Amino acid sequence: MTPHAQNTTPAHTSTPAPVLIVGGTGKTGRRVAERLRGLGRPVRIGSRSAAIPFVWEDESTWEAALDGVSAAYVTYYPDLAFPGAREAVERFAAVAVARGVRRLVLLSGRGEEGAVASEDALKASGCDWTVVRASWFNQNFSESFFLGPVRTGELALPAGDAVEPFVDTDDIADVVVAALTDDRHIGRTYELSGPRLLSFHDVARELSAATGRTITYVPVGADDYRAALREAGEPEEIADLFTLITDGRNARLVHGVRDVLGREPRDFVTYAKEAAATGVWDA
């Protein structure tokens, strides 16, 4: 596919076209942006508060955000498995291709049937695509969903005794940057996990050791968790994501980090020690 003229860099300048980072202030997006800038690649942050705002729910913001960019890293909030995600990704990819954006890298989730529908919609757009399917993030415990419970010392979650190979967002960012900058990753789907399977009991022990405080995991029922989400003003569909853990579909290690980067993924212990040192979990 040949890019439209508006995305072609003039011969008299060596400045490359920017890369759009949809969700550029999020857990993976800001790390991808940092790495691209370190490589000398210009970045356009796609977020509500950006100079050129991007809002998933407002399609009138999409064209300006995509204008003149060569590639985009696509993250969807709150999750690709949620209702409406496939349609939004399909329309976004069509707008991107129509504006001459050649490469799209999509962050997806392991084992999510709804996410696969969004993947397929992106692929059908005619772009040069890469799909990065990630396990649950280590940073969910320090930057979002579970930060408050870790600070209070109790993780009350509907995960039972199930295990998950939590993956570090620094590893995800490294893989995404490789996909955005190296043609060898076009047309590939990579599944990423950490190096170990951990239950939430294990996670609580690791966090306790890293923080020097007692952090406990308390299994709760799905209905109770939904009620807690509702009370906190969070999407109740988050409870559905625990199905990906409790039914065992992702209870195995995968090797996308090694395949792309030629090294092993970061362990949860390393993450927990480094996060604790920042004071993020200080009560």
mmCIF file of all heavy atoms in Angstrom, residues 22 54 56-57 59 62 74-94 106-109 112-123 237 241:
data_model
loop_
_atom_site.group_PDB
_atom_site.id
_atom_site.type_symbol
_atom_site.label_atom_id
_atom_site.label_comp_id
_atom_site.label_asym_id
_atom_site.label_seq_id
_atom_site.Cartn_x
_atom_site.Cartn_y
_atom_site.Cartn_z
ATOM 1 N N VAL A 22 -2.248 6.498 20.502
ATOM 2 C CA VAL A 22 -3.600 6.592 21.038
ATOM 3 C C VAL A 22 -3.575 6.055 22.473
ATOM 4 O O VAL A 22 -3.196 4.910 22.713
ATOM 5 C CB VAL A 22 -4.600 5.792 20.188
ATOM 6 C CG1 VAL A 22 -5.995 5.845 20.817
ATOM 7 C CG2 VAL A 22 -4.638 6.331 18.767
ATOM 8 N N PHE A 54 -7.619 13.612 21.035
ATOM 9 C CA PHE A 54 -8.199 12.403 20.465
ATOM 10 C C PHE A 54 -9.163 11.829 21.494
ATOM 11 O O PHE A 54 -8.782 11.593 22.647
ATOM 12 C CB PHE A 54 -7.134 11.352 20.138
ATOM 13 C CG PHE A 54 -7.712 10.081 19.589
ATOM 14 C CD1 PHE A 54 -7.846 9.896 18.228
ATOM 15 C CD2 PHE A 54 -8.156 9.073 20.438
ATOM 16 C CE1 PHE A 54 -8.402 8.729 17.709
ATOM 17 C CE2 PHE A 54 -8.729 7.907 19.943
ATOM 18 C CZ PHE A 54 -8.847 7.737 18.576
ATOM 19 N N TRP A 56 -12.060 8.696 21.762
ATOM 20 C CA TRP A 56 -12.677 7.550 21.096
ATOM 21 C C TRP A 56 -14.154 7.793 20.821
ATOM 22 O O TRP A 56 -14.679 7.401 19.773
ATOM 23 C CB TRP A 56 -12.506 6.289 21.941
ATOM 24 C CG TRP A 56 -11.236 5.545 21.682
ATOM 25 C CD1 TRP A 56 -10.184 5.370 22.550
ATOM 26 C CD2 TRP A 56 -10.871 4.844 20.488
ATOM 27 N NE1 TRP A 56 -9.190 4.629 21.964
ATOM 28 C CE2 TRP A 56 -9.585 4.276 20.696
ATOM 29 C CE3 TRP A 56 -11.495 4.641 19.261
ATOM 30 C CZ2 TRP A 56 -8.927 3.528 19.727
ATOM 31 C CZ3 TRP A 56 -10.847 3.900 18.281
ATOM 32 C CH2 TRP A 56 -9.581 3.352 18.509
ATOM 33 N N GLU A 57 -14.841 8.437 21.748
ATOM 34 C CA GLU A 57 -16.285 8.618 21.607
ATOM 35 C C GLU A 57 -16.655 9.777 20.676
ATOM 36 O O GLU A 57 -17.832 9.984 20.398
ATOM 37 C CB GLU A 57 -16.921 8.862 22.987
ATOM 38 C CG GLU A 57 -16.751 7.719 23.976
ATOM 39 C CD GLU A 57 -15.391 7.721 24.660
ATOM 40 O OE1 GLU A 57 -14.670 8.741 24.584
ATOM 41 O OE2 GLU A 57 -15.032 6.686 25.271
ATOM 42 N N GLU A 59 -15.743 10.952 17.033
ATOM 43 C CA GLU A 59 -15.031 10.676 15.787
ATOM 44 C C GLU A 59 -14.567 11.946 15.077
ATOM 45 O O GLU A 59 -13.670 11.886 14.232
ATOM 46 C CB GLU A 59 -15.902 9.836 14.860
ATOM 47 C CG GLU A 59 -16.169 8.443 15.391
ATOM 48 C CD GLU A 59 -16.915 7.566 14.399
ATOM 49 O OE1 GLU A 59 -16.769 7.785 13.174
ATOM 50 O OE2 GLU A 59 -17.651 6.663 14.844
ATOM 51 N N TRP A 62 -10.779 12.462 15.238
ATOM 52 C CA TRP A 62 -9.842 11.470 14.726
ATOM 53 C C TRP A 62 -8.985 11.984 13.576
ATOM 54 O O TRP A 62 -7.778 11.737 13.538
ATOM 55 C CB TRP A 62 -10.589 10.205 14.281
ATOM 56 C CG TRP A 62 -11.303 9.482 15.378
ATOM 57 C CD1 TRP A 62 -11.363 9.820 16.704
ATOM 58 C CD2 TRP A 62 -12.074 8.298 15.239
ATOM 59 N NE1 TRP A 62 -12.128 8.920 17.396
ATOM 60 C CE2 TRP A 62 -12.581 7.974 16.525
ATOM 61 C CE3 TRP A 62 -12.402 7.477 14.161
ATOM 62 C CZ2 TRP A 62 -13.371 6.857 16.757
ATOM 63 C CZ3 TRP A 62 -13.199 6.361 14.387
ATOM 64 C CH2 TRP A 62 -13.680 6.057 15.676
ATOM 65 N N VAL A 74 -2.318 1.767 18.768
ATOM 66 C CA VAL A 74 -3.739 1.856 19.064
ATOM 67 C C VAL A 74 -4.058 1.099 20.346
ATOM 68 O O VAL A 74 -3.918 -0.125 20.412
ATOM 69 C CB VAL A 74 -4.576 1.284 17.898
ATOM 70 C CG1 VAL A 74 -6.067 1.493 18.161
ATOM 71 C CG2 VAL A 74 -4.173 1.931 16.575
ATOM 72 N N THR A 75 -4.459 1.836 21.360
ATOM 73 C CA THR A 75 -4.992 1.231 22.582
ATOM 74 C C THR A 75 -6.424 1.713 22.744
ATOM 75 O O THR A 75 -6.735 2.868 22.436
ATOM 76 C CB THR A 75 -4.175 1.608 23.825
ATOM 77 O OG1 THR A 75 -4.353 3.010 24.110
ATOM 78 C CG2 THR A 75 -2.700 1.324 23.613
ATOM 79 N N TYR A 76 -7.290 0.836 23.227
ATOM 80 C CA TYR A 76 -8.696 1.182 23.378
ATOM 81 C C TYR A 76 -9.069 1.100 24.852
ATOM 82 O O TYR A 76 -8.802 0.100 25.516
ATOM 83 C CB TYR A 76 -9.587 0.229 22.569
ATOM 84 C CG TYR A 76 -11.048 0.577 22.648
ATOM 85 C CD1 TYR A 76 -11.588 1.540 21.804
ATOM 86 C CD2 TYR A 76 -11.889 -0.024 23.578
ATOM 87 C CE1 TYR A 76 -12.929 1.890 21.878
ATOM 88 C CE2 TYR A 76 -13.231 0.318 23.668
ATOM 89 C CZ TYR A 76 -13.746 1.270 22.816
ATOM 90 O OH TYR A 76 -15.071 1.623 22.908
ATOM 91 N N TYR A 77 -9.725 2.159 25.334
ATOM 92 C CA TYR A 77 -10.159 2.188 26.733
ATOM 93 C C TYR A 77 -11.680 2.091 26.780
ATOM 94 O O TYR A 77 -12.368 2.731 25.987
ATOM 95 C CB TYR A 77 -9.696 3.486 27.409
ATOM 96 C CG TYR A 77 -10.089 3.561 28.862
ATOM 97 C CD1 TYR A 77 -9.303 2.943 29.836
ATOM 98 C CD2 TYR A 77 -11.264 4.191 29.254
ATOM 99 C CE1 TYR A 77 -9.679 2.984 31.171
ATOM 100 C CE2 TYR A 77 -11.648 4.227 30.586
ATOM 101 C CZ TYR A 77 -10.849 3.620 31.536
ATOM 102 O OH TYR A 77 -11.224 3.642 32.851
ATOM 103 N N PRO A 78 -12.246 1.278 27.701
ATOM 104 C CA PRO A 78 -11.523 0.575 28.778
ATOM 105 C C PRO A 78 -10.939 -0.773 28.378
ATOM 106 O O PRO A 78 -9.959 -1.217 28.950
ATOM 107 C CB PRO A 78 -12.589 0.394 29.859
ATOM 108 C CG PRO A 78 -13.888 0.408 29.126
ATOM 109 C CD PRO A 78 -13.711 1.278 27.927
ATOM 110 N N ASP A 79 -11.488 -1.458 27.353
ATOM 111 C CA ASP A 79 -10.941 -2.746 26.961
ATOM 112 C C ASP A 79 -11.577 -3.175 25.642
ATOM 113 O O ASP A 79 -12.760 -2.900 25.391
ATOM 114 C CB ASP A 79 -11.228 -3.805 28.035
ATOM 115 C CG ASP A 79 -10.440 -5.090 27.802
ATOM 116 O OD1 ASP A 79 -9.291 -5.167 28.277
ATOM 117 O OD2 ASP A 79 -10.970 -5.996 27.128
ATOM 118 N N LEU A 80 -10.803 -3.849 24.806
ATOM 119 C CA LEU A 80 -11.311 -4.296 23.511
ATOM 120 C C LEU A 80 -12.442 -5.305 23.634
ATOM 121 O O LEU A 80 -13.190 -5.519 22.680
ATOM 122 C CB LEU A 80 -10.179 -4.917 22.680
ATOM 123 C CG LEU A 80 -9.163 -3.974 22.052
ATOM 124 C CD1 LEU A 80 -8.158 -4.779 21.238
ATOM 125 C CD2 LEU A 80 -9.834 -2.929 21.172
ATOM 126 N N ALA A 81 -12.574 -5.941 24.782
ATOM 127 C CA ALA A 81 -13.639 -6.927 24.965
ATOM 128 C C ALA A 81 -14.983 -6.271 25.290
ATOM 129 O O ALA A 81 -16.007 -6.951 25.314
ATOM 130 C CB ALA A 81 -13.270 -7.908 26.071
ATOM 131 N N PHE A 82 -14.995 -4.956 25.500
ATOM 132 C CA PHE A 82 -16.219 -4.273 25.903
ATOM 133 C C PHE A 82 -17.104 -3.995 24.688
ATOM 134 O O PHE A 82 -16.609 -3.868 23.568
ATOM 135 C CB PHE A 82 -15.891 -2.973 26.620
ATOM 136 C CG PHE A 82 -15.422 -3.150 28.040
ATOM 137 C CD1 PHE A 82 -14.888 -4.353 28.479
ATOM 138 C CD2 PHE A 82 -15.504 -2.106 28.940
ATOM 139 C CE1 PHE A 82 -14.449 -4.509 29.781
ATOM 140 C CE2 PHE A 82 -15.072 -2.246 30.244
ATOM 141 C CZ PHE A 82 -14.541 -3.459 30.669
ATOM 142 N N PRO A 83 -18.402 -3.875 24.879
ATOM 143 C CA PRO A 83 -19.315 -3.580 23.767
ATOM 144 C C PRO A 83 -18.938 -2.298 23.040
ATOM 145 O O PRO A 83 -18.574 -1.296 23.669
ATOM 146 C CB PRO A 83 -20.675 -3.433 24.464
ATOM 147 C CG PRO A 83 -20.553 -4.237 25.724
ATOM 148 C CD PRO A 83 -19.131 -4.074 26.159
ATOM 149 N N GLY A 84 -18.998 -2.333 21.703
ATOM 150 C CA GLY A 84 -18.703 -1.165 20.890
ATOM 151 C C GLY A 84 -17.263 -1.028 20.471
ATOM 152 O O GLY A 84 -16.944 -0.201 19.600
ATOM 153 N N ALA A 85 -16.373 -1.816 21.062
ATOM 154 C CA ALA A 85 -14.952 -1.680 20.750
ATOM 155 C C ALA A 85 -14.658 -2.048 19.293
ATOM 156 O O ALA A 85 -13.930 -1.334 18.598
ATOM 157 C CB ALA A 85 -14.122 -2.534 21.693
ATOM 158 N N ARG A 86 -15.199 -3.161 18.825
ATOM 159 C CA ARG A 86 -14.907 -3.595 17.453
ATOM 160 C C ARG A 86 -15.314 -2.532 16.447
ATOM 161 O O ARG A 86 -14.561 -2.202 15.529
ATOM 162 C CB ARG A 86 -15.616 -4.901 17.128
ATOM 163 C CG ARG A 86 -15.301 -5.408 15.708
ATOM 164 C CD ARG A 86 -16.247 -6.500 15.267
ATOM 165 N NE ARG A 86 -17.614 -6.025 15.113
ATOM 166 C CZ ARG A 86 -18.052 -5.315 14.064
ATOM 167 N NH1 ARG A 86 -17.216 -4.978 13.086
ATOM 168 N NH2 ARG A 86 -19.308 -4.938 13.999
ATOM 169 N N GLU A 87 -16.515 -1.983 16.621
ATOM 170 C CA GLU A 87 -16.997 -0.978 15.682
ATOM 171 C C GLU A 87 -16.117 0.269 15.697
ATOM 172 O O GLU A 87 -15.815 0.843 14.633
ATOM 173 C CB GLU A 87 -18.443 -0.604 16.021
ATOM 174 C CG GLU A 87 -19.446 -1.731 15.810
ATOM 175 C CD GLU A 87 -19.492 -2.740 16.944
ATOM 176 O OE1 GLU A 87 -18.787 -2.544 17.967
ATOM 177 O OE2 GLU A 87 -20.243 -3.724 16.813
ATOM 178 N N ALA A 88 -15.681 0.677 16.881
ATOM 179 C CA ALA A 88 -14.828 1.862 16.986
ATOM 180 C C ALA A 88 -13.480 1.617 16.324
ATOM 181 O O ALA A 88 -12.978 2.472 15.578
ATOM 182 C CB ALA A 88 -14.646 2.247 18.453
ATOM 183 N N VAL A 89 -12.880 0.461 16.581
ATOM 184 C CA VAL A 89 -11.579 0.157 15.984
ATOM 185 C C VAL A 89 -11.702 0.045 14.464
ATOM 186 O O VAL A 89 -10.833 0.522 13.717
ATOM 187 C CB VAL A 89 -11.006 -1.137 16.589
ATOM 188 C CG1 VAL A 89 -9.788 -1.616 15.807
ATOM 189 C CG2 VAL A 89 -10.645 -0.917 18.058
ATOM 190 N N GLU A 90 -12.777 -0.552 13.997
ATOM 191 C CA GLU A 90 -12.991 -0.686 12.553
ATOM 192 C C GLU A 90 -13.075 0.687 11.884
ATOM 193 O O GLU A 90 -12.429 0.932 10.851
ATOM 194 C CB GLU A 90 -14.264 -1.473 12.297
ATOM 195 C CG GLU A 90 -14.571 -1.710 10.833
ATOM 196 C CD GLU A 90 -15.810 -2.574 10.655
ATOM 197 O OE1 GLU A 90 -16.829 -2.311 11.331
ATOM 198 O OE2 GLU A 90 -15.754 -3.515 9.847
ATOM 199 N N ARG A 91 -13.841 1.584 12.464
ATOM 200 C CA ARG A 91 -13.984 2.921 11.881
ATOM 201 C C ARG A 91 -12.678 3.705 11.973
ATOM 202 O O ARG A 91 -12.291 4.407 11.030
ATOM 203 C CB ARG A 91 -15.118 3.681 12.578
ATOM 204 C CG ARG A 91 -16.506 3.109 12.286
ATOM 205 C CD ARG A 91 -17.607 4.060 12.712
ATOM 206 N NE ARG A 91 -17.616 4.300 14.142
ATOM 207 C CZ ARG A 91 -18.286 3.575 15.024
ATOM 208 N NH1 ARG A 91 -18.973 2.508 14.630
ATOM 209 N NH2 ARG A 91 -18.266 3.876 16.311
ATOM 210 N N PHE A 92 -11.989 3.588 13.112
ATOM 211 C CA PHE A 92 -10.717 4.301 13.264
ATOM 212 C C PHE A 92 -9.702 3.831 12.221
ATOM 213 O O PHE A 92 -9.017 4.646 11.591
ATOM 214 C CB PHE A 92 -10.155 4.084 14.670
ATOM 215 C CG PHE A 92 -8.768 4.628 14.843
ATOM 216 C CD1 PHE A 92 -8.567 5.973 15.087
ATOM 217 C CD2 PHE A 92 -7.651 3.803 14.750
ATOM 218 C CE1 PHE A 92 -7.281 6.493 15.231
ATOM 219 C CE2 PHE A 92 -6.373 4.313 14.891
ATOM 220 C CZ PHE A 92 -6.188 5.654 15.134
ATOM 221 N N ALA A 93 -9.576 2.517 12.053
ATOM 222 C CA ALA A 93 -8.617 1.986 11.084
ATOM 223 C C ALA A 93 -8.947 2.459 9.669
ATOM 224 O O ALA A 93 -8.044 2.785 8.877
ATOM 225 C CB ALA A 93 -8.596 0.464 11.148
ATOM 226 N N ALA A 94 -10.236 2.518 9.341
ATOM 227 C CA ALA A 94 -10.634 2.990 8.011
ATOM 228 C C ALA A 94 -10.237 4.449 7.808
ATOM 229 O O ALA A 94 -9.729 4.826 6.736
ATOM 230 C CB ALA A 94 -12.137 2.808 7.824
ATOM 231 N N LEU A 106 -1.764 -2.696 17.235
ATOM 232 C CA LEU A 106 -2.907 -2.768 18.144
ATOM 233 C C LEU A 106 -2.541 -3.516 19.417
ATOM 234 O O LEU A 106 -2.039 -4.641 19.358
ATOM 235 C CB LEU A 106 -4.073 -3.476 17.458
ATOM 236 C CG LEU A 106 -5.343 -3.692 18.310
ATOM 237 C CD1 LEU A 106 -6.024 -2.367 18.609
ATOM 238 C CD2 LEU A 106 -6.307 -4.640 17.589
ATOM 239 N N LEU A 107 -2.814 -2.905 20.569
ATOM 240 C CA LEU A 107 -2.676 -3.606 21.850
ATOM 241 C C LEU A 107 -3.953 -4.381 22.101
ATOM 242 O O LEU A 107 -5.046 -3.803 22.181
ATOM 243 C CB LEU A 107 -2.431 -2.619 22.987
ATOM 244 C CG LEU A 107 -2.308 -3.266 24.372
ATOM 245 C CD1 LEU A 107 -1.066 -4.145 24.465
ATOM 246 C CD2 LEU A 107 -2.285 -2.197 25.464
ATOM 247 N N SER A 108 -3.833 -5.687 22.250
ATOM 248 C CA SER A 108 -4.969 -6.563 22.482
ATOM 249 C C SER A 108 -4.732 -7.362 23.752
ATOM 250 O O SER A 108 -3.709 -7.209 24.425
ATOM 251 C CB SER A 108 -5.167 -7.480 21.274
ATOM 252 O OG SER A 108 -6.366 -8.216 21.372
ATOM 253 N N GLY A 109 -5.716 -8.204 24.087
ATOM 254 C CA GLY A 109 -5.609 -9.007 25.299
ATOM 255 C C GLY A 109 -5.630 -10.485 24.970
ATOM 256 O O GLY A 109 -6.347 -10.927 24.064
ATOM 257 N N GLU A 112 -9.230 -13.061 24.778
ATOM 258 C CA GLU A 112 -10.454 -12.270 24.743
ATOM 259 C C GLU A 112 -11.121 -12.405 23.372
ATOM 260 O O GLU A 112 -10.647 -11.846 22.385
ATOM 261 C CB GLU A 112 -10.157 -10.805 25.031
ATOM 262 C CG GLU A 112 -9.604 -10.537 26.421
ATOM 263 C CD GLU A 112 -9.401 -9.051 26.694
ATOM 264 O OE1 GLU A 112 -10.026 -8.231 25.982
ATOM 265 O OE2 GLU A 112 -8.625 -8.719 27.596
ATOM 266 N N GLU A 113 -12.233 -13.134 23.310
ATOM 267 C CA GLU A 113 -12.923 -13.309 22.036
ATOM 268 C C GLU A 113 -13.356 -11.974 21.452
ATOM 269 O O GLU A 113 -13.248 -11.747 20.238
ATOM 270 C CB GLU A 113 -14.145 -14.219 22.196
ATOM 271 C CG GLU A 113 -13.826 -15.676 22.459
ATOM 272 C CD GLU A 113 -13.628 -15.989 23.937
ATOM 273 O OE1 GLU A 113 -13.592 -15.036 24.745
ATOM 274 O OE2 GLU A 113 -13.501 -17.182 24.279
ATOM 275 N N GLY A 114 -13.835 -11.077 22.305
ATOM 276 C CA GLY A 114 -14.228 -9.764 21.825
ATOM 277 C C GLY A 114 -13.073 -8.987 21.244
ATOM 278 O O GLY A 114 -13.234 -8.237 20.271
ATOM 279 N N ALA A 115 -11.898 -9.163 21.799
ATOM 280 C CA ALA A 115 -10.723 -8.479 21.290
ATOM 281 C C ALA A 115 -10.328 -9.001 19.914
ATOM 282 O O ALA A 115 -9.866 -8.241 19.055
ATOM 283 C CB ALA A 115 -9.561 -8.635 22.261
ATOM 284 N N VAL A 116 -10.515 -10.289 19.680
ATOM 285 C CA VAL A 116 -10.187 -10.859 18.376
ATOM 286 C C VAL A 116 -11.022 -10.213 17.278
ATOM 287 O O VAL A 116 -10.542 -9.972 16.161
ATOM 288 C CB VAL A 116 -10.376 -12.387 18.381
ATOM 289 C CG1 VAL A 116 -10.213 -12.970 16.978
ATOM 290 C CG2 VAL A 116 -9.373 -13.041 19.334
ATOM 291 N N ALA A 117 -12.274 -9.895 17.575
ATOM 292 C CA ALA A 117 -13.120 -9.219 16.597
ATOM 293 C C ALA A 117 -12.531 -7.861 16.222
ATOM 294 O O ALA A 117 -12.550 -7.464 15.045
ATOM 295 C CB ALA A 117 -14.533 -9.056 17.150
ATOM 296 N N SER A 118 -11.993 -7.137 17.200
ATOM 297 C CA SER A 118 -11.346 -5.854 16.920
ATOM 298 C C SER A 118 -10.059 -6.053 16.126
ATOM 299 O O SER A 118 -9.757 -5.271 15.212
ATOM 300 C CB SER A 118 -11.039 -5.122 18.231
ATOM 301 O OG SER A 118 -12.225 -4.777 18.919
ATOM 302 N N GLU A 119 -9.309 -7.085 16.459
ATOM 303 C CA GLU A 119 -8.102 -7.398 15.690
ATOM 304 C C GLU A 119 -8.444 -7.618 14.219
ATOM 305 O O GLU A 119 -7.782 -7.087 13.314
ATOM 306 C CB GLU A 119 -7.423 -8.644 16.256
ATOM 307 C CG GLU A 119 -6.873 -8.515 17.654
ATOM 308 C CD GLU A 119 -6.374 -9.849 18.188
ATOM 309 O OE1 GLU A 119 -6.249 -10.801 17.399
ATOM 310 O OE2 GLU A 119 -6.129 -9.947 19.407
ATOM 311 N N ASP A 120 -9.466 -8.426 13.982
ATOM 312 C CA ASP A 120 -9.855 -8.744 12.608
ATOM 313 C C ASP A 120 -10.304 -7.493 11.857
ATOM 314 O O ASP A 120 -10.017 -7.330 10.660
ATOM 315 C CB ASP A 120 -10.956 -9.794 12.596
ATOM 316 C CG ASP A 120 -10.475 -11.162 13.056
ATOM 317 O OD1 ASP A 120 -9.251 -11.395 13.060
ATOM 318 O OD2 ASP A 120 -11.331 -11.993 13.424
ATOM 319 N N ALA A 121 -11.014 -6.615 12.545
ATOM 320 C CA ALA A 121 -11.468 -5.380 11.910
ATOM 321 C C ALA A 121 -10.284 -4.507 11.514
ATOM 322 O O ALA A 121 -10.274 -3.904 10.431
ATOM 323 C CB ALA A 121 -12.395 -4.622 12.856
ATOM 324 N N LEU A 122 -9.283 -4.424 12.369
ATOM 325 C CA LEU A 122 -8.092 -3.644 12.060
ATOM 326 C C LEU A 122 -7.353 -4.239 10.867
ATOM 327 O O LEU A 122 -6.956 -3.523 9.934
ATOM 328 C CB LEU A 122 -7.180 -3.591 13.277
ATOM 329 C CG LEU A 122 -5.932 -2.720 13.112
ATOM 330 C CD1 LEU A 122 -6.129 -1.397 13.852
ATOM 331 C CD2 LEU A 122 -4.679 -3.411 13.642
ATOM 332 N N LYS A 123 -7.189 -5.552 10.861
ATOM 333 C CA LYS A 123 -6.473 -6.212 9.765
ATOM 334 C C LYS A 123 -7.163 -5.988 8.426
ATOM 335 O O LYS A 123 -6.508 -5.854 7.386
ATOM 336 C CB LYS A 123 -6.375 -7.715 10.047
ATOM 337 C CG LYS A 123 -5.526 -8.084 11.238
ATOM 338 C CD LYS A 123 -5.614 -9.586 11.505
ATOM 339 C CE LYS A 123 -4.886 -9.998 12.763
ATOM 340 N NZ LYS A 123 -5.019 -11.460 13.029
ATOM 341 N N GLU A 237 -18.123 -4.018 33.737
ATOM 342 C CA GLU A 237 -17.583 -5.030 32.827
ATOM 343 C C GLU A 237 -16.181 -5.485 33.223
ATOM 344 O O GLU A 237 -15.706 -6.525 32.766
ATOM 345 C CB GLU A 237 -17.549 -4.489 31.391
ATOM 346 C CG GLU A 237 -18.921 -4.307 30.761
ATOM 347 C CD GLU A 237 -19.498 -2.924 31.028
ATOM 348 O OE1 GLU A 237 -18.963 -2.201 31.907
ATOM 349 O OE2 GLU A 237 -20.482 -2.561 30.365
ATOM 350 N N LEU A 241 -13.658 -9.465 33.053
ATOM 351 C CA LEU A 241 -12.288 -9.776 32.666
ATOM 352 C C LEU A 241 -11.667 -10.831 33.572
ATOM 353 O O LEU A 241 -10.690 -11.489 33.181
ATOM 354 C CB LEU A 241 -11.437 -8.507 32.672
ATOM 355 C CG LEU A 241 -11.874 -7.409 31.695
ATOM 356 C CD1 LEU A 241 -10.958 -6.197 31.822
ATOM 357 C CD2 LEU A 241 -11.895 -7.923 30.270
#
